[in-house]
Coordinates of all heavy atoms in Angstrom, one line a residue:
L208 N -9.4 3.4 4.8 CA -9.5 4.4 5.8 C -10.8 5.2 5.8 O -11.3 5.5 6.8 CB -8.3 5.3 5.7 CG -8.2 6.4 6.7 CD1 -7.9 5.9 8.1 CD2 -7.1 7.4 6.3
A209 N -11.2 5.5 4.6 CA -12.4 6.3 4.4 C -13.6 5.6 5.0 O -14.5 6.1 5.7 CB -12.7 6.6 2.9
E210 N -13.7 4.3 4.8 CA -14.8 3.4 5.3 C -14.7 3.4 6.9 O -15.7 3.5 7.6 CB -14.7 2.0 4.8 CG -14.9 1.9 3.3 CD -16.3 1.5 2.9 OE1 -17.2 1.4 3.8 OE2 -16.6 1.3 1.7
A211 N -13.4 3.3 7.4 CA -13.3 3.3 8.8 C -13.7 4.6 9.4 O -14.3 4.6 10.5 CB -11.8 3.0 9.2
M212 N -13.4 5.7 8.8 CA -13.8 7.0 9.3 C -15.3 7.2 9.3 O -15.8 7.7 10.3 CB -13.1 8.1 8.4 CG -11.6 8.2 8.6 SD -10.8 9.3 7.4 CE -11.5 10.9 7.9
K213 N -16.0 6.6 8.3 CA -17.4 6.7 8.3 C -18.0 5.9 9.5 O -18.9 6.3 10.2 CB -18.0 6.1 7.0 CG -17.7 7.0 5.8 CD -18.1 6.3 4.5 CE -19.6 5.9 4.4 NZ -19.9 5.3 3.1
R214 N -17.4 4.7 9.8 CA -17.9 3.9 10.9 C -17.6 4.6 12.2 O -18.5 4.6 13.1 CB -17.2 2.5 10.9 CG -17.6 1.6 9.8 CD -17.1 0.2 10.0 NE -15.7 0.1 10.1 CZ -14.8 -0.1 9.1 NH1 -15.3 -0.1 7.9 NH2 -13.5 -0.2 9.3
L215 N -16.4 5.2 12.4 CA -16.1 6.0 13.6 C -17.1 7.1 13.8 O -17.6 7.3 14.9 CB -14.7 6.5 13.5 CG -13.6 5.4 13.6 CD1 -12.2 6.0 13.2 CD2 -13.5 4.8 15.0
E216 N -17.4 7.9 12.7 CA -18.3 9.0 12.9 C -19.7 8.5 13.2 O -20.5 9.2 13.9 CB -18.3 9.8 11.6 CG -17.0 10.6 11.5 CD -17.0 11.7 10.3 OE1 -17.7 11.4 9.3 OE2 -16.3 12.7 10.5
S217 N -20.1 7.4 12.6 CA -21.4 6.8 12.9 C -21.6 6.5 14.4 O -22.7 6.4 14.9 CB -21.7 5.6 12.0 OG -21.0 4.5 12.5
K218 N -20.5 6.3 15.1 CA -20.5 6.0 16.5 C -20.5 7.3 17.3 O -20.4 7.3 18.6 CB -19.3 5.2 17.0 CG -19.2 3.8 16.3 CD -20.3 2.9 16.7 CE -20.1 1.5 16.1 NZ -21.2 0.6 16.5
G219 N -20.6 8.5 16.7 CA -20.6 9.7 17.3 C -19.2 10.2 17.7 O -19.1 11.2 18.5
L220 N -18.1 9.6 17.2 CA -16.8 10.0 17.5 C -16.3 11.2 16.6 O -16.7 11.3 15.5 CB -15.8 8.8 17.3 CG -16.1 7.7 18.3 CD1 -15.3 6.4 17.9 CD2 -15.8 8.0 19.7
D221 N -15.6 12.1 17.2 CA -15.1 13.3 16.6 C -13.8 13.2 16.0 O -12.8 13.1 16.7 CB -15.2 14.5 17.6 CG -14.9 15.8 17.0 OD1 -15.0 15.9 15.7 OD2 -14.7 16.8 17.7
I222 N -13.7 13.1 14.7 CA -12.4 13.0 14.0 C -11.9 14.4 13.7 O -12.5 15.2 13.0 CB -12.5 12.2 12.6 CG1 -13.0 10.8 12.9 CG2 -11.2 12.2 11.9 CD1 -13.3 10.0 11.6
V223 N -10.7 14.7 14.3 CA -10.2 16.1 14.1 C -9.0 16.1 13.1 O -8.5 17.2 12.8 CB -9.7 16.7 15.5 CG1 -10.9 16.9 16.4 CG2 -8.7 15.8 16.2
G224 N -8.6 15.0 12.7 CA -7.5 14.9 11.7 C -7.3 13.5 11.2 O -7.7 12.6 11.9
H225 N -6.7 13.4 10.0 CA -6.2 12.1 9.6 C -5.0 12.3 8.8 O -4.8 13.3 8.0 CB -7.3 11.3 8.8 CG -7.9 12.0 7.6 ND1 -7.4 11.8 6.4 CD2 -8.9 12.9 7.6 CE1 -8.1 12.6 5.5 NE2 -9.0 13.3 6.2
V226 N -4.0 11.4 8.9 CA -2.7 11.5 8.3 C -2.4 10.1 7.7 O -2.2 9.1 8.4 CB -1.6 11.9 9.3 CG1 -0.3 12.1 8.5 CG2 -2.0 13.1 10.1
H227 N -2.3 10.0 6.3 CA -2.0 8.8 5.7 C -3.0 7.7 6.1 O -4.2 7.7 5.8 CB -0.6 8.4 5.8 CG 0.4 9.4 5.3 ND1 0.4 9.7 3.9 CD2 1.4 10.1 5.8 CE1 1.3 10.6 3.7 NE2 1.9 10.9 4.8
D228 N -2.5 6.7 6.9 CA -3.4 5.6 7.4 C -3.8 5.7 8.8 O -4.2 4.8 9.5 CB -2.6 4.3 7.2 CG -1.3 4.2 8.0 OD1 -0.9 5.3 8.6 OD2 -0.6 3.2 8.0
E229 N -3.9 7.0 9.3 CA -4.1 7.2 10.7 C -5.2 8.2 10.9 O -5.4 9.2 10.2 CB -2.7 7.8 11.3 CG -2.8 8.3 12.7 CD -1.4 9.0 13.0 OE1 -1.3 10.2 12.6 OE2 -0.6 8.4 13.6
V230 N -6.0 8.0 12.0 CA -7.1 8.9 12.4 C -6.8 9.5 13.7 O -6.2 8.8 14.6 CB -8.5 8.3 12.4 CG1 -8.9 7.9 11.0 CG2 -8.5 7.1 13.3
I231 N -7.1 10.7 13.9 CA -6.9 11.4 15.2 C -8.3 11.8 15.7 O -9.1 12.6 15.1 CB -6.1 12.7 15.0 CG1 -4.8 12.4 14.3 CG2 -5.8 13.3 16.4 CD1 -4.1 13.6 13.8
L232 N -8.7 11.2 16.9 CA -10.0 11.5 17.5 C -9.8 12.3 18.7 O -8.8 12.2 19.5 CB -10.7 10.2 17.9 CG -10.8 9.1 16.8 CD1 -11.4 7.8 17.5 CD2 -11.6 9.5 15.7
E233 N -10.8 13.2 19.0 CA -10.8 14.0 20.2 C -12.1 13.5 21.0 O -13.2 13.6 20.5 CB -10.9 15.5 19.9 CG -10.8 16.3 21.2 CD -10.8 17.8 20.9 OE1 -12.0 18.3 20.8 OE2 -9.8 18.5 20.9
V234 N -11.9 12.9 22.1 CA -12.9 12.2 22.8 C -13.0 12.7 24.3 O -11.9 13.1 24.8 CB -12.8 10.7 22.8 CG1 -12.8 10.2 21.3 CG2 -11.6 10.2 23.5
P235 N -14.1 12.6 25.0 CA -14.1 12.9 26.4 C -13.3 12.0 27.2 O -13.2 10.8 26.9 CB -15.6 12.8 26.8 CG -16.4 12.9 25.5 CD -15.4 12.3 24.5
K236 N -12.7 12.5 28.3 CA -11.9 11.6 29.1 C -12.8 10.5 29.8 O -14.0 10.8 30.1 CB -11.2 12.4 30.2 CG -10.1 13.3 29.7 CD -9.5 14.1 30.9 CE -8.4 15.0 30.3 NZ -7.8 15.9 31.4
G237 N -12.3 9.3 29.9 CA -13.1 8.3 30.5 C -14.1 7.6 29.6 O -15.0 6.9 30.0
S238 N -14.1 8.0 28.3 CA -15.1 7.4 27.4 C -14.5 6.2 26.6 O -14.0 5.3 27.3 CB -15.6 8.5 26.4 OG -14.5 9.0 25.6
I239 N -14.5 6.2 25.3 CA -14.1 5.0 24.5 C -12.6 4.8 24.7 O -11.8 5.7 24.9 CB -14.5 5.3 23.1 CG1 -14.4 4.0 22.2 CG2 -13.6 6.4 22.5 CD1 -15.0 4.0 20.9
T240 N -12.2 3.5 24.6 CA -10.8 3.1 24.7 C -10.1 3.0 23.4 O -10.8 2.9 22.3 CB -10.7 1.8 25.5 OG1 -11.3 0.7 24.7 CG2 -11.5 1.9 26.8
V241 N -8.8 2.9 23.4 CA -8.0 2.6 22.2 C -8.4 1.3 21.5 O -8.6 1.2 20.3 CB -6.5 2.7 22.5 CG1 -5.7 2.2 21.3 CG2 -6.1 4.0 22.9
D242 N -8.6 0.3 22.4 CA -9.0 -1.0 21.8 C -10.3 -1.0 21.2 O -10.5 -1.7 20.1 CB -9.0 -2.1 23.0 CG -7.6 -2.5 23.4 OD1 -6.6 -2.2 22.7 OD2 -7.5 -3.1 24.5
E243 N -11.3 -0.2 21.7 CA -12.6 -0.1 21.1 C -12.5 0.6 19.7 O -13.2 0.2 18.8 CB -13.5 0.6 22.0 CG -13.9 -0.3 23.2 CD -14.7 0.5 24.3 OE1 -14.5 1.7 24.4 OE2 -15.5 -0.1 25.0
V244 N -11.7 1.6 19.7 CA -11.5 2.3 18.4 C -10.9 1.4 17.4 O -11.3 1.4 16.2 CB -10.6 3.6 18.6 CG1 -10.2 4.2 17.3 CG2 -11.4 4.7 19.4
C245 N -9.8 0.7 17.8 CA -9.2 -0.3 16.9 C -10.1 -1.3 16.4 O -10.0 -1.8 15.2 CB -7.9 -0.9 17.5 SG -6.6 0.3 17.7
S246 N -11.0 -1.8 17.2 CA -12.0 -2.8 16.8 C -12.9 -2.3 15.7 O -13.3 -3.0 14.8 CB -12.8 -3.3 18.0 OG -13.7 -2.4 18.5
I247 N -13.2 -1.0 15.8 CA -14.0 -0.4 14.7 C -13.2 -0.2 13.4 O -13.7 -0.5 12.3 CB -14.6 1.0 15.2 CG1 -15.5 0.8 16.4 CG2 -15.3 1.7 14.0 CD1 -15.9 2.1 17.1
M248 N -11.9 0.2 13.6 CA -11.0 0.3 12.4 C -10.9 -1.0 11.7 O -10.8 -1.1 10.5 CB -9.7 0.8 12.9 CG -9.6 2.2 13.5 SD -9.3 3.4 12.2 CE -7.6 3.1 11.8
N249 N -10.9 -2.1 12.5 CA -10.5 -3.4 11.9 C -11.6 -4.2 11.2 O -11.4 -5.3 10.7 CB -10.0 -4.3 13.0 CG -8.7 -3.8 13.6 OD1 -8.0 -3.0 13.0 ND2 -8.3 -4.4 14.7
Q250 N -12.8 -3.6 11.1 CA -13.9 -4.2 10.5 C -13.8 -4.1 9.0 O -13.5 -3.0 8.4 CB -15.3 -3.5 10.9 CG -15.6 -3.7 12.4 CD -16.8 -2.9 12.8 OE1 -17.6 -2.5 12.0 NE2 -16.8 -2.5 14.1
N251 N -14.0 -5.2 8.3 CA -13.8 -5.2 6.8 C -15.1 -4.7 6.1 O -16.2 -5.2 6.4 CB -13.5 -6.7 6.3 CG -12.1 -7.1 6.6 OD1 -11.6 -6.9 7.6 ND2 -11.5 -7.7 5.6
P252 N -14.9 -3.8 5.2 CA -16.1 -3.5 4.3 C -16.5 -4.7 3.5 O -15.7 -5.6 3.4 CB -15.5 -2.4 3.4 CG -14.3 -1.9 4.1 CD -13.7 -3.0 4.9
A253 N -17.7 -4.7 3.0 CA -18.2 -5.9 2.3 C -17.3 -6.2 1.1 O -17.1 -7.3 0.7 CB -19.6 -5.6 1.8
W254 N -16.7 -5.1 0.5 CA -15.9 -5.4 -0.7 C -14.5 -5.9 -0.4 O -13.7 -6.2 -1.3 CB -15.8 -4.1 -1.6 CG -15.3 -2.8 -0.8 CD1 -16.1 -1.9 -0.3 CD2 -13.9 -2.5 -0.6 NE1 -15.3 -0.9 0.3 CE2 -14.0 -1.3 0.2 CE3 -12.7 -3.1 -0.9 CZ2 -12.8 -0.6 0.6 CZ3 -11.5 -2.4 -0.4 CH2 -11.6 -1.2 0.3
A255 N -14.1 -5.9 0.9 CA -12.8 -6.3 1.3 C -12.8 -7.6 2.1 O -12.0 -7.8 3.0 CB -12.1 -5.2 2.1
D256 N -13.6 -8.5 1.7 CA -13.7 -9.8 2.4 C -12.4 -10.5 2.3 O -11.7 -10.6 1.2 CB -14.8 -10.6 1.7 CG -15.0 -12.0 2.4 OD1 -15.2 -11.9 3.6 OD2 -14.9 -13.0 1.7
G257 N -11.9 -11.0 3.4 CA -10.6 -11.7 3.5 C -9.4 -10.8 3.7 O -8.3 -11.4 3.8
M258 N -9.6 -9.5 3.7 CA -8.4 -8.6 4.0 C -8.0 -8.7 5.4 O -8.8 -8.5 6.3 CB -8.8 -7.2 3.7 CG -7.8 -6.2 4.0 SD -6.6 -5.9 2.6 CE -7.7 -5.0 1.5
P259 N -6.7 -9.0 5.7 CA -6.3 -9.2 7.1 C -5.9 -7.8 7.7 O -4.8 -7.5 8.0 CB -5.0 -10.1 7.0 CG -4.5 -9.7 5.6 CD -5.7 -9.4 4.7
I260 N -7.0 -7.0 8.0 CA -6.8 -5.7 8.6 C -6.4 -5.8 10.0 O -6.9 -6.6 10.8 CB -8.0 -4.8 8.4 CG1 -8.4 -4.7 6.9 CG2 -7.9 -3.4 9.0 CD1 -9.7 -4.0 6.7

Side-chain angles (χ1 to χ4, degrees):
L208 181 66
E210 296 260 7
M212 290 171 65
K213 288 172 63 178
R214 291 194 300 273
L215 291 165
E216 288 190 329
S217 73
K218 301 291 185 181
L220 296 170
D221 187 14
I222 300 173
V223 295
H225 55 95
V226 184
H227 298 300
D228 59 354
E229 171 186 81
V230 293
I231 308 165
L232 308 176
E233 188 180 80
V234 301
K236 293 180 179 179
S238 59
I239 194 166
T240 67
V241 172
D242 287 345
E243 288 170 331
V244 168
C245 288
S246 70
I247 297 171
M248 294 272 289
N249 294 348
Q250 296 172 25
N251 282 44
W254 53 264
D256 184 52
M258 175 88 73
I260 300 173

